[in-house]
Amino acid sequence: MIRYLLLLALAGAACAEKARFDNYRVHSVLPESEHHLRFLRELEENNDFLFWNDVRAVNASVHIMVPPHKTAQFQEIVDFVGLKSEIYINDVQKLIDAENNNPAARSGIFGWNAYYRLNDIYNWLDSLEAQYPGVVSVVVGGTTYEGREIRGVKVSYKAGNPGVFVEGGIHAREWISPATVTYILNQLLTSQDPAIRDIAENYDWYIFPSFNPDGYEYTHTTNRLWRKTRSRSSSLCYGADPNRNWGFHWMDGGASSSACSETYAGSSAFSEIEARSLSQYISTIADKLSVYLSFHSYSQYLLIPYGFSNAHISNYDTLMDIGKKAINSLSQRYGTKYVVGNIVDVIYVASGGSMDWVRGEYGTPITYTYELRDTGRNGFVLPAEQIIPTGEETLDSVLTILQEARSVI
Ligand SMILES: *[C@@H]1O[C@H](CO)[C@@H](O)[C@H](O)[C@H]1NC(C)=O
Ligand SMILES: [Zn+2]
């Protein structure tokens, strides 16, 4: 019997189908009291519904995905508690089907009109090394649970530059993050704009499009909405949140000790090989880093440390000042509106993130975490047509940060 079940399980794994989200809706609900907030936090902890964004504050909408078979249950809950609810996405599967249907994705030429698989990104990084000898070198920042490389590039036009670290894709489903990071990398190498050439050539860049390659591949092959790593602990659930796993104020609020939670912090600090090996890599270059930029989606925020506390860090005023200038630059091109602030103030407590660790361990002066487009109408499933506009406006703000950083580093 046991052998039979094992065979069934193996067969199931071998022909595992892609998760589908037909008629899954995303509702935007509005907490209007502390009572509503407490209720929503409890609902999130139950893991009955997938929350697409965080429960933040009164009047800040919360986006909750509701499968068709739970529509009645959800409606009952919302009515019972008296929450205002609006449908943001009517059919998640339709959005997924439309997200990446550009033929460019299948043409074999890497670009920014479609989202790409990990190997396409890695092959492109390798091609840059060949194309820009002496400037681009491929670097390996770590290893994943499933044995993949965490591959990045170093871009250096001359010796002695201050270093900028660019991290993408730590959360697997946030596809706009790796796409934006590769967009920025490409511009640093190809742009003729003197301002871009200036930051490209007078900083050294360490650029990693995907900090969570196993998770990213899994979002392509199996479940578009996967967030975590793919490690296996003893429990029924896979993975930990790699942005709750870093060893600075680990499990100090806004992280879960439950393995099935989307924000499971892992069994210990750096239990995830991705966070552990990347932290070791960062340690080898930390004395060269003046700037650390982390890219997530979605919500249109520019966030400063820390996530475990909103106590003002030593250069809070400087980071806020530069941040305001950066989001102003970002808004110029397409009118995209961001909010800048401390993580706790803007979202909620979240401990164990990579930016907190870099800042806490090494005191890196200029550190920001982006939550890229949009504000929930597409959420994680941002249509590929928005990659280039997102890349353009984001680079506008990165330019401002690096220009402004010069006077303080
Ligand atoms: C929430 O919004 C309502 C209506 O705009 C307003 O009256 C109330 O003061 C707001 N509450 C908070 C805490 O922002
Ligand atoms: Zn994220």
Side-chain angles (χ1 to χ4, degrees), residues 50-108:
L50 188 68
F51 280 50
W52 277 34
N53 69 350
D54 298 277
V55 181
R56 290 159 294 163
V58 170
N59 288 347
S61 64
V62 180
H63 308 153
I64 305 172
M65 186 166 79
V66 180
H69 62 276
K70 289 186 182 171
T71 302
Q73 184 193 345
F74 181 75
Q75 200 53 52
E76 222 168 87
I77 289 169
V78 161
D79 290 345
F80 178 75
V81 188
L83 282 160
K84 280 187 193 138
S85 170
E86 175 188 356
I87 293 168
Y88 261 22
I89 300 172
N90 200 39
D91 186 342
V92 172
Q93 187 60 44
K94 279 212 181 97
L95 205 56
I96 291 172
D97 292 342
E99 176 185 32
N100 207 19
N101 66 357
N102 190 309
R106 293 179 290 277
S107 73

Side-chain angles (χ1 to χ4, degrees), residues 158-394:
K158 63 178 172 59
N161 285 334
V164 180
F165 197 102
V166 177
E167 166 211 310
I170 196 167
H171 287 144
R173 63 194 172 194
E174 299 165 6
W175 282 10
I176 190 60
S177 165
T180 301
V181 167
T182 57
Y183 178 88
I184 291 170
L185 168 57
N186 186 55
Q187 289 298 309
L188 294 174
L189 296 169
T190 62
S191 173
Q192 303 297 316
D193 178 339
I196 300 298
R197 293 262 44 82
D198 175 39
I199 60 162
E201 296 176 19
N202 293 303
Y203 284 98
D204 277 0
W205 297 79
Y206 301 85
I207 300 180
F208 289 83
S210 176
F211 258 29
N212 181 6
D214 293 350
Y216 186 67
E217 275 301 278
Y218 194 72
T219 61
H220 281 271
T221 60
T222 313
N223 182 346
R224 176 64 188 84
L225 297 176
W226 190 256
R227 166 184 169 97
K228 300 191 283 181
T229 61
R230 291 295 301 161
S231 62
R232 191 74 202 257
S233 56
S234 55
S235 99
L236 286 171
C237 289
Y238 281 82
D241 183 339
N243 207 40
R244 298 291 185 281
N245 191 239
W246 294 61
F248 182 73
H249 286 261
W250 178 77
M251 274 297 281
D252 192 6
S256 174
S257 55
S258 152
C260 296
S261 164
E262 291 281 48
T263 53
Y264 176 47
S267 54
S268 59
F270 292 126
S271 62
E272 302 311 286
I273 189 174
E274 294 83 1
R276 185 168 71 248
S277 55
L278 280 163
S279 73
Q280 288 159 358
Y281 174 75
I282 291 169
S283 294
T284 67
I285 54 165
D287 61 335
K288 301 182 177 75
L289 295 181
S290 297
V291 181
Y292 191 92
L293 302 175
S294 168
F295 290 90
H296 290 248
S297 74
Y298 61 91
S299 288
Q300 297 174 194
Y301 298 142
L302 186 62
L303 304 167
I304 69 173
Y306 286 111
F308 77 90
S309 159
N310 62 356
H312 286 195
I313 57 176
S314 59
N315 63 341
Y316 175 90
D317 292 342
T318 302
L319 289 179
M320 285 299 286
D321 179 47
I322 294 176
K324 283 173 193 162
K325 288 174 178 161
I327 66 169
N328 182 52
S329 302
L330 191 149
S331 72
Q332 296 303 308
R333 209 181 273 264
Y334 298 110
T336 309
K337 295 257 183 302
Y338 269 57
V339 172
V340 62
N342 163 275
I343 293 172
V344 180
D345 291 338
V346 174
I347 308 178
Y348 192 58
V349 179
S351 63
S354 56
M355 177 175 75
D356 271 21
W357 181 81
V358 169
R359 172 73 187 207
E361 190 78 12
Y362 294 107
T364 308
I366 307 294
T367 59
Y368 290 100
T369 292
Y370 281 77
E371 293 285 352
L372 298 168
R373 287 191 191 189
D374 58 11
T375 54
R377 290 295 172 170
N378 302 282
F380 305 116
V381 193
L382 195 70
E385 300 86 72
Q386 291 198 42
I387 296 171
I388 289 173
T390 302
E392 290 172 328
E393 68 191 13
T394 305

